[in-house]
Amino acid sequence: MRYFATVGGSASDTNIEEKVLASSPIMEAIGNAKTTRNDNSSRFGKYIQIGFDKRYHIIGANMRTYLLEKSRVVFQADDERNYHIFYQLCAAASLPEFKELALTCAEDFFYASQGGDTSIEGVDDAEDFEKTRQAFTLLGVRESHQISIFKIIASILHLGNVEIQSERDGDSCSISPEDEHLNNFCRLLGVEHSQMEHWLCHRKLVTTSETYVKTMSLQQVVNARNALAKHIYAQLFGWIVEHINKALHTSLKQHSFIGVLDIYGFETFEVNSFEQFCINYANEKLQQQFNSHVFKLEQEEYMKEQIPWTLIDFYDNQPCIDLIEAKLGILDLLDEECKVPKGTDQNWAQKLYDRHSGSQHFQKPRMSNTAFIVVHFADKVEYLSDGFLEKNRDTVYEEQINILKASKFPLVADLFHDDKDSVPASTTSGKSSSSKINIRSSRPPLKAPNKEHKKTVGHQFRTSLHLLMETLNATTPHYVRCVKPNDKKLPFHFDPKRAVQQLRACGVLETIRISAAGYPSRWAYHDFFNRYRVLVKKRELANTDKKAICKSVLESLIKDPDKFQFGRTKIFFRAGQVAYLEKLRADKFRAATIMIQKTVRGWLQRVKYRRLKWATLTLQRYCRGYLARRLAEHLRRTHAAVVFQKQYRMRRALLAYQRLRRAALVIQAFVRGTFVRRIYHQVLREHKATIIQKHVRGWMARRRFQQLRGAAIVIQCAFRRLKAKRELKALKIEARSAEHLKRLNVGMENKVVQLQRKIDDQNKEFKTLSEQLSAVTSTYTMEVEKLKKELGHYQQSQGEDGSLRLQEEVETLRTELERAHSERKILEDAHTRENDELRQRVADLEQENALLKEEKEQLNNQILCQSKDEFAQNSVKENLLMKKELEEERSRYQNLVKEYSRLEQRYDNLRDEMTIIKQTPGHRRNPSNQSSLESDSNYPSISTSEVGDTEDALQQVEEIGLEKAAMDMTVFLKLQKRVRELEQERKKMQTQLEKREQQDSKKVQVDQPKNDIDVDQDADLAYNSLKRQELESENKKLKNELNELRKAMADQATQSDSTHSSPDSYSLLLNQLKLANEELEVRKEEVLILRTQIVSADQRRLAGKSTEPNINARTSWPNSEKHVDQEDAIEAYHGVCQTNSETEDWGYLNEDGELGLAYQGLKQVARLLEAQLQAQSREHEEEVEHLKAQVEALKEEMDKQQQAFCQTLLLSPEAQVEFGVQQEITRLTNENLDLKELVEKLEKNEKKLKKQLKIYMKKVQDLEAAQALAQSERKRHELNRQVTVQRKEKDFQGMLEYHKEDEALLIRNLVTDLKPQMLAGTVPCLPAYILYMCIRHADYINDDVKVHSLLTSTINGIKKVLKKHNENFEMTSFWLSNTCRLLHCLKQYSGDEGFMTQNTTKQNEHCLKNFDLTEYRQVLSDLSIQIYQQLIKIAEGVLQPMIVSAMLENESIQGLSGVKPTGYRKRTSSMADGDNSYCLEAVIRQMNSFHTVMCDQGLDPEIILQVFKQLFYMINAVTLNNLLLRKDVCSWSTGMQLRYNISQLEEWLRGRNLHQSGAVQTMEPLIQAAQLLQLKKKTPEDAEAICSLCTSLSTQQIVKILNLYTPLNEFEERVTVGFIRTIQAQLQERNDPQQLLLDFKHMFPVLFPFNPSSLTMDSIHIPACLNLEFLNEV
């Protein structure tokens, strides 16, 4: 097995070969024991079948066991041991995890110490036990199960030590309640102590009428105890074998297998019992198979090779086998005696004597009537019949088994439960149980009395032996014979007699006899020639027939022709001839070896000589080099001495020179310093003189400037006085009119009202101040009079009683002073006390504040810790949410594209219907004519798409509810903001439209004949005046609203921030602003009144004279060039035209010429003020709108904050923190979205400007090139003679040129009429490459119209083709691949560095130079999404009818669903029988065809993965929905069927390398539903397992499947209501969706990753079948 595991290996990462090897230590521990002949004897038969796949890797294994020697558990002969596991467990009893087993050394237990010595020399039981535990772990046995296994084994040891006390009568026994071992046994197995104590000593007798409880004798109790121990161990053995098979089981398909049969050999002991009889019976069967296989094959080999041979008879042991297993044989008589109520071993032996006394293979011993002898093929064996019946029956009392069934440990209870109605027997033979889960009924099954066993041990062993022989006969067996050298287990000791006996028993001597009589050695001609060709002479090798060469060689080498024979394919040799040939071959090789040695030794000597010669030359070279280096060293030292002398002499001369140089430098420094100081003093004096001159000249220049400025001021004053006089005269003339006075009085009334208010305020203040002053003066006068009176009294009394009063006054003053001191002290005490109380209060408050701060810090730290702990989880959740939001956004966008395509299709249909219905001629406006690019190129406008997104988002919020919408709040806020922006944009567009219409109407009025100008001037003037008045009134209203708004904001600010701001200063600023605005209004009104006065005077002047307008005498005003607004500019232009055309004569007013100048100046001022007024009004309007928007936003924000605050007050502190964090995240996301939008707008503007700049530069270059070309043409026409220019051949640049009129033909040949079969064998996606080369040429010649036309026609052509072939999968896949490739080409050659990382230099030369086709890339991306959706729709339409039949109804596993569910009528189908039913192979074939089509057409692998992910999701949804709606398919067999079908689909995915697409994850709900149908559904542990397993299924789906579960037969039961309620209670915490069925129409968002092509454009060849001859290669 180790060899197979090492050579075969594993096909995957499951390491199945390690598990196969790990099963050996476990089986040796529980099935091997020490015997007198072997320290590790296998006491059971084992057959391991190792499975291999097609590549001969191990994929799994299976094990069968035969006839475990259960009697060894309770009895061991001398010098033997029990099974190894008992001693290993006792050796590890000191470990802490095994303290509860209450084990000691093995000598203390009866079941482990009957053989004497409990140890084996050279074996460490503790180390073996550790290996056993490691093997259990490797095979997947949980730690809890391992502990349970060891408890069961320990309980068997404790059961053997239970002391049974016999009563006086001898017919009854008892066990002490304080028996320690019985207590340990019951505790380890989890059974009741009292019941086990009772039923170990009693048994139950069941009759037809009554049930008796009978006591048992001591021997019967011991036998019952031993039987129970054997039964427990046998059941545990079978359970371990079953779990090993589960661990080695595989679901993969098995290609071949190798079976290893490790079974007991022939056994004969002094006392042979039932076990030896079964073992020798098995060896008889195996020997028969060995004889029939080996001897027959040997003789057939001679016959096949046509060798003359006489057949040899061999020993046939069939009579002995018939004696044992034939009808009325030994086993039949044994089973018959077991069925007899009072059968005994002696009666059975007597029957054997009577029946088989005449058989040659059966003998009766002379001295015994209870034994019999069977003559086996190896030896005679005497069997003692005592115990045969008991061992064959293997009887265990039912009451003891029932106690074990009621164990509180699941493993112990499961060991004794099976599907049979009887008490389980120890059947270790046969195949291991399948992996089905045992479903145990809640009520114990009814058992027939006195029928403990349906099959005996002998019958079971015979059946399993027949199955083994069938397996051996169906395979090619190979035999390994183990020969034991001696029976004493000594090393290096060989017993010849024992070895010959074993060889005879194995049939080896018979094989040697045949070999000696025949030809034991044989060689194939080819192998013989290859090995012995050295014996062939060179001239014989010239012959090509190897068979002839072999014959000639053998005839020349072996003279006796009887020593060999030539067969058809082989050469047969007698014994010893091959050794003779080997001797000749060795002699030949020896001679050749001597020759080789001679040559090699000579070569070695020559090498040694060369090495010595080279060493000698090396020594000479080194000696000569040393002498030369010594001479060179002497010469170098001599030269160095000369150099040292030279340097020393030079140093001494240098020092002397430096001393002289330093002295000279000092003298020069002093001399030069003297000269420099003299020059410095002279320069200083000159600088001071220059400063004096500068100041004098400056004073003189300033005095002259002041004189000139004074003269200029005088002149200016005179001129301004003159000008003021002229203006005063003009104002006096204007002031004479009554209208002016009236209008002026309006402003004056406001001023009067303001002044009156000011006067009233001042009067009020004056009154209050005067009252205060009068009160103060009155009090002052009263105090003065009082003081005067006191002074008088004092002066009068001073003269009379001066001294007495003074003393009294002094005393009173002292008493008052003392009283004041006491009061002061009291007040000081009270003050200090109050201060102390306040300080204490402050200290308490500070301490409380400190405590609150500490609590706050602790809470903050806790919150921070929680936030840090939850940060990772939150980050993971946020990443998942972001991914989910991205997927939802992408799916929403693709749904919009899908909806847009549907609406576009509907629009086209309606347009076609309108064209059919419409018959009347005439011009009607067609909506498609308004935006051909948008309708044809599938590129919706921004506003439409965004409004659609908003409506979809709102609808989604209504559908999914507020809780789900809160998670998507960022998207919702973004859409709301976009709606507001679109509304504002709509209003702006509407106002611009109105202005444009007014402008057009005014232009029409201007273009009228000039004779109508005079008629319309009055109307225009009136219209302008009315419009101006309206604007002024609106301006006033806006100002009033602005003032009120400012007041409200000021009041709000004062109320909210009264502690931080002063309302008086703010109100003062508002008053000043209000006064300034009113003053400005008054000034503007005065100017307007003055202008109306002059205009009215002009009208009166025109009433007297009719003069023609002087158009040429127009005057240009300086302020008319200022651009304020389009409408205002047009209005100002009309006003200028009117005023200038009517200023012909100013004589009647302009007598002195001052009125004209004043009018012109006022006209300019009026224009300027009017422009300022309009600009200010617009600013005020904008400001008011902005403030209103801010106020509304602040109100909304305040409402939201109030609501959030109210909500947070109701929450817990942790929830408040979390809510605050969520609000902060929302705010930051909104700001981030705004910034992103701003960045996107700036990037778009930058791209547009760059694009325009490129276009303008290209146009300039083209213009310059055209001018240069025109000049060159003119020069060329001037030439007299013509010159021919030869065109130089160039390479193909990867561009295709076509004429504009050939565009329709190009689209028809390349798109509309193209069939995918025409391009078979060409480059995939060839149309996309051809279209890009045409686009590149249009970009090269800078023809944007051509690019736009070609791309639009291509997109429309693809849409028409897809609309025409809307059910053709091949055509849809073809155009999806081409559209994606064209999109990749536009990205790859766009010039963006992000898409050019994988380009070659040649590909970079093929990039676009002039145009940025980013918008068309978006159009092509949307078109690709539409094509992908159509492709999925077609594929789903093909697959959907097959799914239910293939996945649920078709029977892939034959015979699995043969039993229909009981209690329900058969489901009838609307389909005919077999007509429309599909199998899984049909679905796989269809998916194979889809995959082949997409791969052949060059579709990107990422898109193929997404296609099959979508299709597998549809298969999962349709199958699961049908499973949830059909009661007849919710059964165990359907679950098995589904698991098999899903495994086939997964294998198909792996075979197609599509397992990375995530398709298997989409099938997860269906996989879990299949597992749910197969799981056990009884206990709470089963409910927990179901809840932990079915994570992809919702609670409703799990409950629905459990309600619909239908049993297949009477052994199963329906799922109880209590179990379903347990499931519902455990699944309450899940937040599952409320829908039961899956949406099988749901479509995952598709991604088109960038996939650049490695082809260059110049390497693409256009086939002739496309009919594109009109394309020219550039």
Side-chain angles (χ1 to χ4, degrees), residues 378-395:
D379 198 0
K380 293 180 181 180
V381 181
E382 181 179 350
Y383 299 100
L384 188 63
S385 63
D386 293 340
F388 263 69
L389 267 67
E390 184 65 28
K391 292 177 180 178
N392 191 34
R393 288 196 190 104
D394 196 16
T395 304

Side-chain angles (χ1 to χ4, degrees), residues 229-248:
K230 293 188 290 183
H231 184 65
I232 293 172
Y233 191 80
Q235 291 297 104
L236 179 63
F237 184 85
W239 186 89
I240 293 173
V241 171
E242 177 184 352
H243 277 262
I244 290 174
N245 286 332
K246 286 182 182 179
L248 302 180

Side-chain angles (χ1 to χ4, degrees), residues 996-1014:
R996 186 66 58 85
E997 290 178 355
Q998 292 177 2
Q999 181 180 356
D1000 294 338
S1001 62
K1002 290 181 180 179
K1003 284 184 179 180
V1004 172
Q1005 291 176 3
V1006 172
D1007 293 336
Q1008 288 179 354
K1010 294 181 180 180
N1011 53 5
D1012 296 333
I1013 295 175
D1014 297 333

Side-chain angles (χ1 to χ4, degrees), residues 428-638:
T428 60
S429 62
K431 296 184 179 179
S432 62
S433 63
S434 63
S435 60
K436 292 193 295 183
I437 299 173
N438 294 326
I439 301 175
R440 196 171 61 209
S441 176
S442 58
R443 294 178 300 177
L446 298 175
K447 297 180 176 59
N450 297 327
K451 290 185 179 179
E452 285 82 0
H453 299 282
K454 290 184 179 179
K455 295 181 181 180
T456 60
V457 176
H459 182 272
Q460 294 171 4
F461 182 71
R462 180 170 54 185
T463 304
S464 61
L465 193 58
H466 282 302
L467 293 175
L468 176 63
M469 298 311 298
E470 290 177 1
T471 304
L472 294 178
N473 292 328
T475 57
T476 303
H478 299 272
Y479 299 92
V480 178
R481 298 297 185 181
C482 300
V483 178
K484 191 172 298 182
N486 58 79
D487 292 336
K488 298 180 181 180
K489 295 182 286 187
L490 296 176
F492 307 106
H493 180 72
F494 185 76
D495 186 0
K497 294 182 179 180
R498 183 61 179 160
V500 171
Q501 183 182 2
Q502 294 180 68
L503 292 175
R504 184 179 293 109
C506 294
V508 176
L509 297 180
E510 194 73 18
T511 307
I512 294 172
R513 185 172 65 85
I514 293 178
S515 299
Y519 299 93
S521 301
R522 61 204 66 177
W523 282 89
Y525 288 103
H526 177 72
D527 298 336
F528 180 84
F529 176 76
N530 289 334
R531 182 161 183 84
Y532 299 109
R533 64 182 300 171
V534 295
L535 302 177
V536 182
K537 296 180 181 179
K538 187 174 182 180
R539 57 183 177 79
E540 293 179 352
L541 288 174
N543 191 359
T544 57
D545 189 2
K546 295 182 180 180
K547 190 172 182 180
I549 296 174
C550 294
K551 288 182 178 180
S552 61
V553 169
L554 284 174
E555 291 174 354
S556 61
L557 294 177
I558 301 175
K559 303 302 181 180
D560 189 0
D562 187 54
K563 298 297 183 181
F564 59 89
Q565 289 288 341
F566 294 102
R568 293 176 61 252
T569 61
K570 297 178 182 179
I571 306 173
F572 293 83
F573 296 94
R574 295 285 187 185
Q577 300 306 312
V578 174
Y580 173 70
L581 292 176
E582 287 293 327
K583 177 181 176 301
L584 296 177
R585 183 173 175 271
D587 294 340
K588 192 75 172 179
F589 276 116
R590 188 178 296 106
T593 303
I594 292 171
M595 181 64 70
I596 293 171
Q597 288 177 353
K598 178 188 70 174
T599 306
V600 169
R601 287 169 182 168
W603 175 78
L604 290 174
Q605 292 299 324
R606 285 192 295 272
V607 168
K608 184 177 180 181
Y609 167 74
R610 293 193 189 98
R611 190 180 295 112
L612 291 174
K613 182 180 179 182
W614 178 81
T616 304
L617 293 175
T618 302
L619 290 174
Q620 292 177 356
R621 183 171 69 249
Y622 275 101
C623 291
R624 291 167 183 166
Y626 171 73
L627 294 175
R629 282 192 296 275
R630 191 170 64 177
L631 178 61
E633 183 69 20
H634 174 71
L635 295 176
R636 192 160 48 248
R637 288 178 181 273
T638 305

Side-chain angles (χ1 to χ4, degrees), residues 723-750:
K723 190 175 180 181
K725 286 181 180 179
R726 291 178 181 176
E727 291 178 358
L728 179 61
K729 188 181 291 185
L731 292 173
K732 285 179 180 179
I733 294 171
E734 291 179 359
R736 294 171 186 173
S737 62
E739 294 178 358
H740 174 69
L741 293 174
K742 289 180 181 180
R743 294 182 180 178
L744 189 62
N745 288 331
V746 175
M748 294 302 292
E749 288 176 359
N750 294 329

Side-chain angles (χ1 to χ4, degrees), residues 1100-1142:
R1100 288 195 300 270
R1101 178 79 176 85
L1102 281 174
K1105 292 183 180 181
S1106 59
T1107 59
E1108 296 179 358
N1110 188 7
I1111 299 173
N1112 297 325
R1114 294 176 182 174
T1115 306
S1116 62
W1117 304 102
N1119 196 37
S1120 63
E1121 297 178 356
K1122 183 176 180 181
H1123 177 72
V1124 180
D1125 197 1
Q1126 191 173 5
E1127 183 180 356
D1128 298 331
I1130 294 170
E1131 187 176 350
Y1133 175 73
H1134 288 298
V1136 170
C1137 292
Q1138 288 178 359
T1139 54
N1140 288 338
S1141 63
E1142 296 170 0

Side-chain angles (χ1 to χ4, degrees), residues 1170-1208:
E1170 185 178 2
Q1172 292 178 356
L1173 178 63
Q1174 293 174 356
Q1176 191 175 10
S1177 65
R1178 283 193 298 273
E1179 290 176 358
H1180 284 309
E1181 290 176 358
E1182 293 176 356
E1183 187 176 1
V1184 168
E1185 291 178 358
H1186 182 64
L1187 290 173
K1188 285 182 178 180
Q1190 286 183 353
V1191 169
E1192 291 177 359
L1194 289 173
K1195 286 182 179 179
E1196 293 177 359
E1197 187 68 25
M1198 190 179 296
D1199 295 336
K1200 291 180 181 179
Q1201 290 181 358
Q1202 287 179 357
Q1203 293 177 1
F1205 183 70
C1206 293
Q1207 291 177 1
T1208 52

